């Protein structure tokens, strides 16, 4: 399938970058909240949950960085006049799938974290 409109593709990549950078800020905020929660006296199960969230947030930050690198790669391919269109299309499709998965998992993690916070009250 030929890519008809590089501008549209580029705009979507720019939106993904913005979304990922916002997610990165939210991850930092959640990590800060988690640090505050971890300072309270917690039972063993709660400590296990804190560790779970610490690991999950580290992983989400890694995914953000990985996806940003892929977007940069796609942008570079688009900037090359003779960039391999089929490879760009495959990369774009992978990014679309990755972003859908990231969004879904991040929403689930955020909801799980909110429920954990409520359980501590």
């Amino acid at each position: 399938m030929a890519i008809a409109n590089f501008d549209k593709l580029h705009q979507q990549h720019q939106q993904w970058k913005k979304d990922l950078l916002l997610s990165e800020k939210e991850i930092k905020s959640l990590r800060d909240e988690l640090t505050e929660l971890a300072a309270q006296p917690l039972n063993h199960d709660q400590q296990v949950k804190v560790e779970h969230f610490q690991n999950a947030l580290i992983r989400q930050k890694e995914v953000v960085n990985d996806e940003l690198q892929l977007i940069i790669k796609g942008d570079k391919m688009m900037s090359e006049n003779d960039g391999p269109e089929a490879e760009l299309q495959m990369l774009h499709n992978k990014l679309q799938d990755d972003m859908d998965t990231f969004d879904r998992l991040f929403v689930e993690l955020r909801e799980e974290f909110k429920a954990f916070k409520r359980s501590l009250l």
Side-chain angles (χ1 to χ4, degrees):
M1 175 170 96
I3 299 174
N5 189 344
F6 282 108
D7 288 338
K8 184 176 178 183
L9 208 62
H10 181 69
Q11 287 174 353
Q12 188 166 29
H13 287 191
Q14 295 307 308
Q15 185 59 49
W16 286 339
K17 280 184 197 177
K18 287 179 189 175
D19 293 346
L20 287 167
L21 292 173
L22 285 173
S23 295
E24 188 174 48
K25 286 180 183 179
E26 188 171 357
I27 290 167
K28 183 184 180 329
S29 175
L30 290 172
R31 284 177 42 199
D32 292 345
E33 283 184 67
L34 189 61
T35 299
E36 288 178 26
L37 294 174
Q40 323 175 22
L42 301 172
N43 65 36
H44 176 72
D45 290 341
Q46 292 167 331
Q47 289 173 351
V48 168
K49 273 301 230 190
V50 165
E51 188 173 334
H52 159 73
F53 287 117
Q54 287 171 333
N55 292 334
L57 292 170
I58 288 168
R59 179 64 191 131
Q60 291 300 311
K61 175 76 168 94
E62 291 170 348
V63 170
V64 166
N65 290 337
D66 292 346
E67 295 308 309
L68 285 170
Q69 291 303 312
L70 284 176
I71 293 169
I72 290 167
K73 179 180 177 182
D75 288 347
K76 183 178 179 202
M77 288 169 67
M78 280 189 286
S79 71
E80 298 169 352
N81 291 337
D82 256 351
E85 201 168 299
E87 187 178 341
L88 178 58
Q89 186 65 53
M90 286 184 0
L91 178 63
H92 178 75
N93 292 343
K94 179 187 178 346
L95 278 166
Q96 181 69 61
D97 289 345
D98 288 355
M99 290 302 297
D100 291 344
T101 300
F102 173 79
D103 289 342
R104 180 179 49 80
L105 293 176
F106 194 60
V107 166
E108 289 174 9
L109 178 63
R110 194 176 335 158
E111 293 305 313
E112 183 184 358
F113 184 77
K114 286 179 187 176
F116 175 66
K117 279 178 38 179
R118 285 191 300 271
S119 77
L120 295 178
L121 300 178

